[in-house]
Amino acid sequence: MDQDRVVRVWALITEHAQREGASASLRHVCVVCARAVAATGSGLSITRGRGRHDPVATSDAASAELAELQFTLGEGPSADALDGAGPVLAADLSAAASRRRWPVFAPAATKRGVLAMFSFPLELGAVRVGVLDLYRDRTGPLSGAQLADALVFADAALLLVLDDRGGIPAAYADLVDGGFDEWRAEVHQAAGMLSVQLGVEVEEALVRLRAYAFTQDRRLAAVARDVIERRVRFDGGRAGKLPEGGNEPDGEEN
């Protein structure tokens, strides 16, 4: 992933939040993303367990109505993205293919003037915490640059959701100052290892990893690397200490 793009996206989000005298939030992600990719509006839903997902932030009232419509109907690009379909790009909701795929949602959306929709899951490996939706009042695909930007905005929203669930402030440096592709690979692997160690879901393991990195004032990627290389271990719901000399404590195996 283009690191310059990551830096630019985070700068747009934080600058918009600072103008309001606030910390970056999911609403700021929605507002800035819609502007950046020339969308009419944007909305964001997060998972609540057992297949539930609730709208939590939108860029405007019309987007809030669309988010509520998808939630009520239980179908649409957003629902498909959350079900593991990856990014769902519907460049023309009035097309026959869209009406076959979403027989209730597509006509209802076009009736409200929404002619294209693009949904991006907030995910890291198998962990899927929500979805970022973009709406347009005209048909047509996103450009390559707009698609790349939208993916970074989705990753920014992922980080904000994880930090909120862990009860910590967002640490943007984890994305801005590090290699993001490496961040994703190492953190995903470390979360999987912690899931086994702690007997929890991977999402919970990922939240704990984030929280530990924050309390230790260390980069998330660095902590993940220590977990992978068995220099640090989490047991009994508590983070282990980094052993002197970088060796794993005797008697502990992954």
Side-chain angles (χ1 to χ4, degrees), residues 66-82:
L66 263 293
E68 184 65 26
L69 178 66
Q70 283 198 107
F71 176 76
T72 301
L73 298 177
E75 71 169 38
S78 183
D80 286 2
L82 278 173

Side-chain angles (χ1 to χ4, degrees), residues 81-147:
L82 278 173
D83 284 341
V88 178
L89 311 176
D92 187 357
L93 287 172
S94 66
S98 294
R99 290 176 178 266
R100 284 194 300 270
R101 187 170 182 178
W102 306 295
V104 181
F105 173 77
T110 56
K111 183 178 180 180
R112 289 166 171 78
V114 175
L115 299 181
M117 181 173 170
F118 312 96
S119 297
F120 301 88
L122 315 185
E123 62 182 359
L124 181 66
V127 177
R128 201 168 292 114
V129 304
V131 62
L132 175 66
D133 296 322
L134 300 172
Y135 310 104
R136 276 182 171 174
D137 58 5
R138 62 192 184 282
T139 61
L142 296 171
S143 69
Q146 290 168 339
L147 178 60

Side-chain angles (χ1 to χ4, degrees), residues 26 44-48 52-54 56 122 129-130 161 165:
L26 295 176
L44 199 146
S45 299
I46 61 174
T47 59
R48 299 295 191 185
R52 285 186 56 215
H53 64 281
D54 300 333
V56 295
L122 315 185
V129 304
V161 171
R165 292 183 176 180

Side-chain angles (χ1 to χ4, degrees), residues 32-229:
V32 178
C33 182
R35 293 174 182 171
V37 304
T40 307
S42 176
L44 199 146
S45 299
I46 61 174
T47 59
R48 299 295 191 185
R50 297 185 179 182
R52 285 186 56 215
H53 64 281
D54 300 333
V56 295
T58 59
S59 61
D60 57 273
S63 296
E65 182 180 357
L66 263 293
E68 184 65 26
L69 178 66
Q70 283 198 107
F71 176 76
T72 301
L73 298 177
E75 71 169 38
S78 183
D80 286 2
L82 278 173
D83 284 341
V88 178
L89 311 176
D92 187 357
L93 287 172
S94 66
S98 294
R99 290 176 178 266
R100 284 194 300 270
R101 187 170 182 178
W102 306 295
V104 181
F105 173 77
T110 56
K111 183 178 180 180
R112 289 166 171 78
V114 175
L115 299 181
M117 181 173 170
F118 312 96
S119 297
F120 301 88
L122 315 185
E123 62 182 359
L124 181 66
V127 177
R128 201 168 292 114
V129 304
V131 62
L132 175 66
D133 296 322
L134 300 172
Y135 310 104
R136 276 182 171 174
D137 58 5
R138 62 192 184 282
T139 61
L142 296 171
S143 69
Q146 290 168 339
L147 178 60
D149 280 351
L151 290 168
V152 177
F153 277 104
D155 284 324
L158 167 66
L159 189 63
L160 289 173
V161 171
L162 292 175
D163 285 347
D164 179 69
R165 292 183 176 180
I168 62 175
Y172 312 124
D174 285 332
L175 287 178
V176 174
D177 294 339
F180 192 73
D181 290 333
E182 180 182 17
W183 184 96
R184 293 188 70 91
E186 291 187 333
V187 172
H188 179 215
Q189 184 179 354
M193 293 174 65
L194 289 183
S195 174
V196 174
Q197 287 179 17
L198 300 174
V200 298
E201 296 294 329
V202 177
E203 180 180 339
E204 174 64 19
L206 185 56
V207 169
R208 293 193 191 189
L209 190 69
R210 284 285 296 148
Y212 177 66
F214 174 75
T215 58
Q216 298 297 310
D217 193 25
R218 302 184 65 211
R219 293 194 186 285
L220 179 59
V223 173
R225 196 171 301 118
D226 284 337
V227 171
I228 294 168
E229 297 176 359

